[in-house]
Amino acid sequence: MKIDFANLNRAYALHKEEFDSAMSEVVRASNFIMGKAMYDLEETLSRYVGVKHCISCASGTDALLLALMALDIKQGDEVITTPFTFFATAEVIALCGATPVFVDIDLSDYNIDIQKIESAITPQTKAIMPVSLYGQMADMPALLALAKKHGLKVIEDAAQSFGATYSGQKSGSYRDVGCTSFFPAKPLGCFGDGGAVFTDDDLLAEKLRSLRVHGQTGRYIHKYVGIGGRLDTIQATVLNVKMKYYESDIKGRRRLADYYNRHIESSKVIKPFEKPSYTSVWAQYTLRIDPSQRDDFQAYLTSRGIPTAIHYPKPMHLQECFQGVLAYREGDFPIAERVAKEVISLPMNPYFTEEEKAYIVEAVNGF
Ligand SMILES: *Cc1c(COP(=O)(O)O)cnc(C)c1O
């Protein structure tokens, strides 16, 4: 059997007519930039997340960058984040001229360890940027309380967690800003690059909308130095179609995670943990295995037609670009370093047949 990791083709085929006609309509109207579909999408997304403002943009990376720019994060500032994430999280902090300050992760959910944040706070610290890794938020109440105590901004990197909740409250809706990505393989993916920023703050929203279009406040009038970071109307129209089915997609992902949780019995692997009161959207279903066995496990699954992925093999503080720039070395974040050697993600999407699910689980248990 040949298993597809994300089944993007099935996602398209399932609603092909709707996607095709929505995209044709944009082409027909030739309203490619900031067309009506983009404003419709922002309305739908802000209602879904439960915040006043959604500012769509060109990617998840741009969403994070816009958030930092809007909060005036600049050279000399420090932003606390996790070393165990996709590179963009740390990248945007450095792009703003600020310094990423890493704090080790919690072994239970692989998110930033809130207990360890306080000792990393200095007079230069301006913000905390938690990443809701694999689709599940960090301990948000504790994180928000800490940020409030120290007067720090919070920017949630919700690139993997759109639709996730804590006590019913959606990821992306937490103060000050939430940022998500619509990269095709994310839980809510478009047909290219896309992203969005969420906030309840009217002034911040106005600034974000301006920064997205070169910091402009009127035609050819530039109040800020911004970026060219708009979402294409075509991507917005694709997302408008996808949003109709998104709750059902999340249910499908959660069903698959539940199936994996119940049926994976191999004593060789450690399964992911969903915290009480939190729901994950399972951007990834990520196991851990002894580092000495990971390559063999991956090769074994590949030989059975089951693709896997390593999210992520190298923590941020050990990346080449930060060597000699940030004063970190191997051993600084033992949990992140250990987990990076142990993780392996199984295929995850809402479109598998029962037969495919059973096939994956049997293979995992047979290793
Ligand atoms: C995907 C991702 C991003 C970047 O999103 P893009 O849309 O690819 O730019 C940022 N942070 C995390 C945690 C991600 O997974």
Side-chain angles (χ1 to χ4, degrees):
M1 205 179 291
K2 187 104 185 74
I3 301 292
D4 189 313
F5 196 91
N7 272 327
L8 299 182
N9 51 348
R10 286 189 195 173
Y12 169 61
L14 212 55
H15 307 289
K16 182 182 184 312
E17 271 87 63
E18 259 185 289
F19 286 127
D20 288 353
S21 88
M23 286 189 288
S24 307
E25 175 51 29
V26 175
V27 178
R28 193 199 57 74
S30 296
N31 211 342
F32 301 116
I33 304 292
M34 299 183 105
K36 179 171 180 297
M38 189 200 83
Y39 296 99
D40 290 347
L41 177 71
E42 291 182 340
E43 175 93 38
T44 303
L45 296 183
S46 59
R47 211 176 319 116
Y48 179 83
V49 169
V51 293
K52 266 168 90 178
H53 305 284
C54 166
I55 298 91
S56 64
C57 61
S59 68
T61 306
D62 276 1
L64 294 166
L65 183 60
L66 286 166
L68 291 173
M69 290 170 84
L71 292 169
D72 208 22
I73 305 288
K74 56 187 181 304
Q75 188 152 21
D77 295 341
E78 293 176 0
V79 179
I80 292 175
T81 192
T82 166
F84 190 58
T85 178
F86 177 65
F87 183 66
T89 316
E91 182 180 41
V92 291
I93 298 169
L95 266 178
C96 288
T99 304
V101 172
F102 301 114
V103 166
D104 211 354
I105 57 169
D106 189 315
L107 194 57
S108 71
D109 64 0
Y110 314 128
N111 284 323
I112 193 166
D113 186 341
I114 316 295
Q115 309 303 323
K116 293 182 183 149
I117 291 179
E118 200 150 31
S119 62
I121 296 173
T122 75
Q124 284 72 48
T125 309
K126 289 286 148 55
I128 308 174
M129 207 152 132
V131 177
S132 305
L133 201 71
Y134 304 150
Q136 175 175 226
M137 283 184 278
D139 179 351
M140 289 311 272
L143 191 143
L144 294 169
L146 191 68
K148 191 166 176 196
K149 180 176 159 197
H150 293 274
L152 303 176
K153 305 288 185 189
V154 174
I155 302 149
E156 187 199 355
D157 181 344
Q160 303 185 7
S161 60
F162 187 75
T165 63
Y166 163 68
S167 286
Q169 186 177 344
K170 292 257 169 49
S171 174
S173 71
Y174 289 87
R175 288 186 64 95
D176 295 85
V177 194
C179 302
T180 199
S181 163
F182 306 124
F183 182 79
K186 307 283 166 153
L188 178 66
C190 58
F191 294 170
D193 278 308
V197 187
F198 299 94
T199 185
D200 265 325
D201 185 322
D202 297 340
L203 291 175
L204 207 56
E206 195 181 303
K207 189 169 176 188
L208 284 160
R209 286 199 179 94
S210 168
L211 287 170
R212 163 176 78 176
V213 198
H214 307 286
Q216 124 184 330
T217 45
R219 192 160 205 175
Y220 306 129
I221 307 298
H222 302 271
K223 181 170 176 182
Y224 313 102
V225 173
I227 62 172
R230 295 158 302 217
L231 180 73
D232 292 342
T233 313
I234 291 247
Q235 300 306 339
T237 208
V238 165
L239 289 165
N240 282 328
V241 174
K242 283 220 167 175
M243 273 307 283
K244 294 196 215 166
Y245 309 103
Y246 191 53
E247 276 304 302
S248 130
D249 284 351
I250 292 177
K251 283 202 187 89
R253 301 182 88 92
R254 292 185 57 75
R255 265 200 306 277
L256 177 59
D258 182 55
Y259 184 90
Y260 282 157
N261 283 338
R262 281 185 291 116
H263 294 97
I264 291 176
E265 285 165 347
S266 167
S267 59
K268 293 199 163 81
V269 299
I270 297 166
K271 290 182 268 190
F273 173 65
E274 191 174 38
K275 303 187 291 277
S277 305
Y278 286 78
T279 63
S280 175
V281 288
W282 298 100
Q284 304 299 342
Y285 185 92
T286 305
L287 299 169
R288 274 169 42 224
I289 188 162
D290 191 90
S292 67
Q293 299 201 320
R294 187 169 70 177
D295 287 351
D296 288 348
F297 184 51
Q298 186 163 39
Y300 161 90
L301 291 174
T302 304
S303 75
R304 276 156 184 75
I306 301 170
T308 53
I310 309 298
H311 303 107
Y312 296 92
K314 198 177 187 116
M316 296 304 106
H317 65 292
L318 302 179
Q319 295 291 342
E320 187 178 345
C321 60
F322 292 138
Q323 303 314 303
V325 181
L326 306 176
Y328 292 114
R329 53 188 137 79
E330 190 134 20
D332 283 345
F333 305 108
I335 301 177
E337 290 169 28
R338 170 182 160 194
V339 167
K341 295 188 179 97
E342 296 179 344
V343 286
I344 179 163
S345 304
L346 294 183
M348 170 48 80
N349 64 75
Y351 312 111
F352 285 131
T353 62
E354 292 307 311
E355 205 184 357
E356 288 170 324
K357 290 185 194 181
Y359 178 78
I360 298 167
V361 163
E362 265 170 48
V364 170
N365 288 336
F367 177 66

